Amino acid sequence: MPSPAIHPSPPAWAPPLFQLDLEPAGPPGVWGLSGAASTARISSQFTSEAETYHARYSASAHFEGLIAQAIAAAGVIIAEAPLVLDMGSGSGVNSILPGFNLFPGARQVATDLSAELLAVLARQAEAAGLGERVVCVVMDAMQLRVRNRRFDLVTGASVLHHLEHPADAIEGAFNALKPGGHAIFMEPFDGYGLIRLAYERILAEADLRGDPLAPAVAAHLTAMVEDIAMRTRPDRASAAFAHLDDKWLFAREILEAQARKRGFEAVRFVPHHDHETLYRDIAHSQLRLATGESHELPAWATDILDSFDQALPPAVKRLLMLEGSVVMSRAA
């Protein structure tokens, strides 16, 4: 009979940060909140397939660069050795681990609905000698159970667009921050509408040419057109909405309005990319991720993507950004 998992105690600094008592949540090093419950749904890719998800989407150096870019572009100053609340941490490879590189001496609270992904983080942190500087807690980003005004920084690497009610998470971030604190979220935006138009053009051109795309490629482009359309103007009343993993492509105006309504004094947007081959690169990257290395777009389809790239200068690509960071600041 296997021995029961042994749970070390959480770091001494962590328990006072929460509204409820910490209790073991299954895997060693992962904690839950006594009496807390969530109705939010997560799919198997975040639970039973957690190890595969971690390996597939790990991009620590990339996200470290994005956080540094957001801080520099927004001109904000992060407290020395900050106390950080990370929302939707997953395995932490794209948020918690970059945070330790960027903020020496930081202590971090990693939160996610997936105990399985947090277990990956707990093992990594322990192996790196960081176990006393991070606590992994199963928590719903829409129902943060942390005490008000305790954190210097709130981070979220691609979390808001997964949530049914992202405004609830924004409000929670504001409440968690000390006066003068900042929240940094990295999210997809409605500039993806241009990618949708390009994909629709490619699908139509294949029909006009009588030159069918490979079935896997055509299926991918069709699915992306539908996905982008659904997420640009999501129907919350739809029964399917709650079951979508990716729910939103944000409009700047709406996200800023939500942040200011919850109390943030300043909201700044930092586009991630504006280079000359942006749309071509995104399309090929999405195709490889969805279908594998064996499928490529025909040359004429790449020419269509290039025509979109050539039509829009970098300044317009920044305005109609695909991906970007939003930095929300609470008044001092």
Side-chain angles (χ1 to χ4, degrees):
M1 183 176 179
S3 301
I6 299 174
H7 277 267
S9 298
W13 54 267
L17 298 174
F18 300 96
Q19 298 171 1
L20 301 170
D21 293 335
L22 293 176
E23 61 183 16
V30 179
W31 302 90
L33 295 173
S34 178
S38 171
T39 59
R41 298 179 176 92
I42 55 173
S43 67
S44 60
Q45 69 172 328
F46 304 118
T47 55
S48 60
E49 301 165 24
E51 293 284 356
T52 300
Y53 184 88
H54 163 71
R56 188 178 190 186
Y57 293 104
S58 294
S60 187
H62 173 69
F63 278 90
E64 182 176 332
L66 294 181
I67 297 169
Q69 175 198 40
I71 292 170
V76 298
I77 297 174
I78 306 302
E80 187 175 352
L83 183 59
V84 182
L85 172 64
D86 187 56
M87 299 164 59
S89 303
S91 66
V93 68
N94 296 334
S95 54
I96 296 295
L97 299 185
F100 282 126
N101 290 334
L102 291 167
F103 313 118
R107 294 168 296 157
Q108 300 195 73
V109 174
T111 67
D112 201 277
L113 280 174
S114 169
E116 292 84 353
L117 281 170
L118 289 174
V120 176
L121 171 57
R123 292 195 298 271
Q124 291 184 107
E126 195 64 33
L130 298 169
E132 287 300 310
R133 291 173 53 197
V134 61
V135 61
C136 301
V137 183
V138 176
M139 192 187 304
D140 185 346
M142 296 182 293
Q143 295 176 302
L144 292 177
R145 301 297 186 92
V146 296
R147 298 193 184 278
N148 292 348
R149 300 188 173 202
R150 296 299 178 95
F151 293 87
D152 301 293
L153 177 66
V154 173
T155 54
S158 301
V159 59
L160 296 180
H161 73 275
H162 289 297
L163 306 178
E164 283 191 61
H165 304 286
D168 291 347
I170 293 171
E171 182 173 3
F174 176 82
N175 291 336
L177 285 169
K178 299 174 182 175
H182 308 283
I184 302 173
F185 297 103
M186 289 146 280
E187 297 295 335
F189 286 81
D190 55 5
Y192 268 104
L194 287 168
I195 297 292
R196 172 189 170 185
L197 294 176
Y199 288 174
E200 288 175 334
R201 169 79 186 280
I202 290 169
L203 289 165
E205 185 71 16
D207 289 339
L208 289 171
R209 288 171 173 263
D211 182 12
L213 298 165
V217 174
H220 164 67
L221 296 185
T222 301
M224 287 300 301
V225 166
E226 294 172 353
D227 177 76
I228 292 169
M230 186 178 301
R231 294 168 61 199
T232 301
R233 295 186 176 184
D235 178 8
R236 289 190 188 183
S238 166
F241 178 74
H243 296 277
L244 292 174
D245 283 335
D246 299 318
K247 295 177 169 62
W248 300 92
L249 291 170
F250 291 111
R252 290 187 192 221
E253 295 81 3
I254 292 175
L255 206 54
E256 179 170 0
Q258 290 178 342
R260 291 191 180 278
K261 182 177 180 181
R262 270 73 194 176
F264 283 102
E265 178 185 48
V267 182
R268 307 168 185 87
F269 293 92
V270 183
H272 290 170
H273 308 290
D274 63 0
H275 57 281
E276 291 185 0
T277 58
L278 172 60
Y279 302 133
R280 180 212 293 187
D281 294 346
I282 287 289
H284 284 283
S285 175
Q286 289 180 336
L287 182 61
R288 285 194 298 270
L289 191 62
T291 67
E293 296 290 343
S294 59
H295 295 287
E296 294 291 342
L297 290 169
W300 59 262
T302 297
D303 289 342
I304 289 174
L305 292 164
D306 287 344
S307 72
F308 276 75
D309 271 314
Q310 292 161 10
L312 300 177
V316 178
K317 288 178 178 177
R318 291 193 296 271
L319 183 65
L320 302 175
M321 62 183 171
L322 304 181
E323 310 275 346
S325 299
V326 54
V327 182
M328 307 174 184
S329 300
R330 180 168 178 164

